[in-house]
Amino acid sequence: MYSLRSGARAMLLSPLRLSQLLLVPKISLSSSIPLSFPSQNTPAGHSPFSNSSLPSTSTPRRQSLVFSISSPSRGVASMADETVTYLSQKEAAEIDEILMGPLGFSVDQLMELAGLSVATAIAEVYKPSEYSRILVICGPGNNGGDGLVAARHLRHFGYEPYICYPKRTAKLLYTGLVTQLESLAIPFLSVDELPKNFSDDFDLIVDAIFGFSFHGSPRPPFDDLIQRLVSLHCIDNVHKRKPAIVSVDIPSGWHVEGGDVDGDGIKPDMLVSLTAPKLCAKNFHGPHHFLGGRFVPPAIRDKFGLKLPPYPGTSMCVRIGKPLSVDISSLRENYVSPELREDQVKADPIDQFQKWFDEAVAAGLREPNAMALSTCGKDGKPTSRIVLLKGVDKEGFVWYTNYGSRKGRDLSENPHASLLFHWNHLNRQVRVEGTVQKVSDEESEKYFHSRPRGSQLGAIVSKQSTTVAGRHVLHEAYMELERKYSDGSLIPKPEYWGGYRLRPNLLEFWQGQQSRLHDRLQYSLREINGSRVWQIERLAP
């Protein structure tokens, strides 16, 4: 990515690195594209990523800049409903020149985005419960800088990173990154301190040695480090798991366009492309290919006709390439959690639920009040769906819905149901069983008018679980109601909408543990001396 120097003797990246954070569609053009941007505070006409000159001015004003882009045809990779293009080294450099010049992106900004993208992609696949010990091997250029940033984020994500940084760069940006890592007590290992067999001490290795502008033959100590990574692919050890290898943008030792030309290069398990995959990525056949970046401004996207993949939620990475083929039977987690003991839990299950729920909220889980509601009508056929908990107290668990829905019909025929809360990131589940009855009209009315007006209108429009001719029918009905109540008048609650309360007679608290020896504590109502009390029992996992 945005490299520092080039040349056969330089063990660094080229001055053009930002293009790793950009995605370019399949186009072939040779034209002058005018771009107007405000000038930056850096010396006019100077870019730290290129030896080329840009038009300059001595005072801040708007500049009209013209860049000549000549793009050969590119290969297209498949992505879930998108196309992804592969960038040549020249194309990556041309995009970087614009981004690093008139758009005013700095090296440290882009390095932070790149490193965060790498760390996020790793966290998507390799969980700290099984891949905690990470060795990050950093080269002397910007690819190495990405590795340093990634290591910092991985530490905050709960991993135990170690750094091998043999040829340190003296520039302030890099010394600052080293200081940040040292302040987090992240160990730096010399080449001599590395174990002979990486499998002995590490679960995952990040290859952040060379980027897309490196050329020539690697020199010591990187030639030996690369060969040691290559050898991991050849080791046949039935007793030890080989460390997973994650390469940053370009697997070190590969030709940026030709790829693993000789066929004996690093075989990474994950490739995190930055900006767009480079041509060499056509030869990547590992199971995990991610794109990182998510920063491209509209001016660049529109001028170049870029087609960017949709990033999920707030993530800095998105999976690209062919959908991963997974052996479902091999999917498993080895949970690491605090023990759940009888002498630690609350005597009342509602109090224990409230404690766990508060912890789920504090952990920042998305919709911790989401619960699976299972019902069964008189036909004996169970159905489940996700609904949202809207209240809990000693009387039970409350949610709201359309009384004419499938669950409403089931509950009218069989007033027994179960709830399931699943808080994945805490390795926790809560099962609740009991009888169900409607809440009072007053409760339903109060909650209905506490909802956003749009939700109130939606509840009227939707005759839940009935057949609809098309989405346009819902939209038209909604817009009609929106016009009807545009004066802000009170929206009446429909009679067919309201709340249910499940009064529990059994709750189970499940905490995932290693080797499937999970903790299961069950609360059940028992009749003792004429009083109903909660009894706690441990169940086999």
Side-chain angles (χ1 to χ4, degrees):
M1 192 169 124
Y2 47 97
S3 63
L4 297 174
R5 319 191 275 279
S6 60
R9 294 175 58 86
M11 304 284 291
L12 303 171
L13 315 172
S14 89
L16 306 160
R17 174 74 185 266
L18 178 56
S19 57
Q20 289 185 319
L21 300 175
L22 191 60
L23 188 62
V24 179
K26 183 175 181 180
I27 57 174
S28 180
L29 57 93
S30 179
S31 60
S32 293
I33 302 177
L35 298 171
S36 292
F37 302 105
S39 62
Q40 309 300 318
N41 295 327
T42 53
H46 171 74
S47 168
F49 305 97
S50 174
N51 293 325
S52 63
S53 296
L54 300 176
S56 64
T57 178
S58 58
T59 57
R61 62 180 178 85
R62 294 191 67 82
Q63 304 177 54
S64 181
L65 304 177
V66 178
F67 298 95
S68 180
I69 310 296
S70 180
S71 303
S73 60
R74 311 184 185 112
V76 179
S78 64
M79 199 172 66
D81 293 313
E82 299 288 330
T83 57
V84 169
T85 57
Y86 296 89
L87 294 180
S88 69
Q89 188 176 30
K90 181 175 181 293
E91 291 166 336
E94 288 173 338
I95 294 172
D96 276 352
E97 186 170 308
I98 299 174
L99 292 167
M100 293 301 171
L103 287 183
F105 284 94
S106 62
V107 188
D108 52 345
Q109 284 178 313
L110 297 168
M111 196 172 286
E112 188 67 28
L113 290 169
L116 177 57
S117 298
V118 171
T120 303
I122 290 172
E124 285 283 329
V125 175
Y126 302 105
K127 304 306 179 186
S129 59
E130 294 194 37
Y131 293 86
S132 61
R133 304 167 304 167
I134 298 180
L135 174 64
V136 184
I137 305 177
C138 300
N142 292 317
N143 200 263
D146 292 345
L148 296 175
V149 173
R152 168 161 44 79
H153 287 292
L154 288 168
R155 166 68 94 188
H156 291 307
F157 291 172
Y159 297 85
E160 300 175 24
Y162 297 78
I163 311 292
C164 180
Y165 189 22
K167 298 288 185 181
R168 299 193 181 191
T169 302
K171 293 192 174 184
L172 184 61
L173 169 60
Y174 298 88
T175 58
L177 291 175
V178 169
T179 299
Q180 295 164 18
L181 296 170
E182 290 175 339
S183 72
L184 292 172
I186 296 177
F188 280 76
L189 305 176
S190 67
V191 174
D192 294 335
E193 292 174 316
L194 294 176
K196 290 184 179 180
N197 184 353
F198 287 149
S199 300
D200 291 337
D201 288 50
F202 303 111
D203 305 307
L204 186 145
I205 299 172
V206 177
D207 159 32
I209 302 176
F210 298 130
F212 78 82
S213 17
F214 174 78
H215 55 84
S217 300
R219 292 173 176 264
F222 298 109
D223 54 351
D224 178 64
L225 288 171
I226 291 173
Q227 284 308 306
R228 293 177 69 180
L229 294 180
V230 171
S231 67
L232 284 175
H233 182 70
C234 305
I235 293 176
D236 184 14
N237 191 331
V238 295
H239 301 294
K240 289 184 179 179
R241 180 182 65 188
K242 302 171 189 174
I245 300 177
V246 177
S247 287
V248 178
D249 202 42
I250 304 291
S252 295
W254 284 30
H255 187 281
V256 66
E257 296 182 356
D260 185 14
V261 179
D262 298 324
D264 56 0
I266 295 175
K267 304 293 192 296
D269 301 277
M270 174 185 285
L271 176 62
V272 184
S273 292
L274 299 169
T275 301
K278 311 309 176 286
L279 284 170
C280 68
K282 288 184 178 182
N283 296 322
F284 173 70
H285 301 296
H288 308 292
H289 190 184
F290 280 80
L291 175 66
R294 195 172 195 171
F295 80 101
V296 181
I300 289 292
R301 184 191 63 222
D302 297 341
K303 289 294 183 182
F304 287 85
L306 302 182
K307 200 170 187 180
L308 301 176
Y311 283 78
T314 58
S315 179
M316 291 299 297
C317 65
V318 57
R319 185 183 287 274
I320 60 176
K322 294 181 179 179
L324 181 63
S325 177
V326 177
D327 176 8
I328 296 177
S329 66
S330 69
L331 293 176
R332 57 178 55 87
E333 283 278 347
N334 193 25
Y335 304 108
V336 178
S337 312
E339 291 182 349
L340 180 64
R341 291 164 34 188
E342 290 86 336
D343 60 352
Q344 294 176 331
V345 297
K346 305 287 187 180
D348 190 296
I350 300 300
D351 294 335
Q352 180 62 31
F353 176 85
Q354 192 65 63
K355 179 178 182 293
W356 269 23
F357 185 82
D358 291 344
E359 290 172 359
V361 172
L365 303 189
R366 184 170 180 263
E367 294 194 320
N369 60 328
M371 59 186 186
L373 166 64
S374 298
T375 59
C376 185
K378 63 182 179 182
D379 59 4
K381 297 179 180 179
T383 59
S384 299
R385 74 287 290 160
I386 300 296
V387 297
L388 297 179
L389 177 71
K390 289 301 178 180
V392 59
D393 55 25
K394 299 296 184 181
E395 297 299 313
F397 297 76
V398 175
W399 69 94
Y400 293 87
T401 188
N402 188 307
Y403 290 145
S405 63
R406 170 73 181 275
K407 52 187 172 294
R409 295 196 300 271
D410 281 356
L411 290 171
S412 67
E413 298 170 354
N414 178 8
H416 300 272
S418 67
L419 307 174
L420 173 64
F421 295 85
H422 180 217
W423 297 314
N424 183 54
H425 291 290
L426 297 177
N427 301 332
R428 289 175 174 176
Q429 295 184 70
V430 180
R431 291 196 308 116
V432 187
E433 298 177 9
T435 58
V436 181
Q437 63 185 45
K438 292 179 180 179
V439 304
S440 67
D441 288 340
E442 291 76 18
E443 282 185 78
S444 293
E445 192 80 34
K446 181 178 178 181
Y447 175 71
F448 182 81
H449 290 113
S450 74
R451 307 174 86 207
R453 288 180 68 84
S455 297
Q456 295 180 44
L457 296 178
I460 299 174
V461 167
S462 174
K463 306 300 185 288
Q464 201 174 90
S465 302
T466 61
T467 302
V468 181
R471 187 165 182 80
H472 67 281
V473 175
L474 297 175
H475 279 293
E476 290 169 0
Y478 182 90
M479 293 179 68
E480 183 179 342
L481 282 175
E482 199 171 37
R483 289 190 293 269
K484 180 178 179 180
Y485 295 103
S486 61
D487 58 356
S489 58
L490 184 71
I491 301 172
K493 181 189 77 66
E495 293 183 0
Y496 50 78
W497 191 96
Y500 287 103
R501 176 178 286 105
L502 183 146
R503 297 182 182 274
N505 51 45
L506 184 145
L507 295 92
E508 180 192 317
F509 294 83
W510 181 98
Q511 179 78 69
Q513 299 292 356
Q514 295 188 60
S515 302
R516 295 298 184 263
L517 298 179
H518 311 308
D519 289 318
R520 296 178 62 190
L521 296 185
Q522 177 179 280
Y523 291 73
S524 55
L525 274 177
R526 301 291 175 86
E527 192 82 27
I528 299 179
N529 298 327
S531 300
R532 303 187 75 192
V533 297
W534 289 105
Q535 182 173 328
I536 302 175
E537 297 173 310
R538 177 174 290 273
L539 303 181

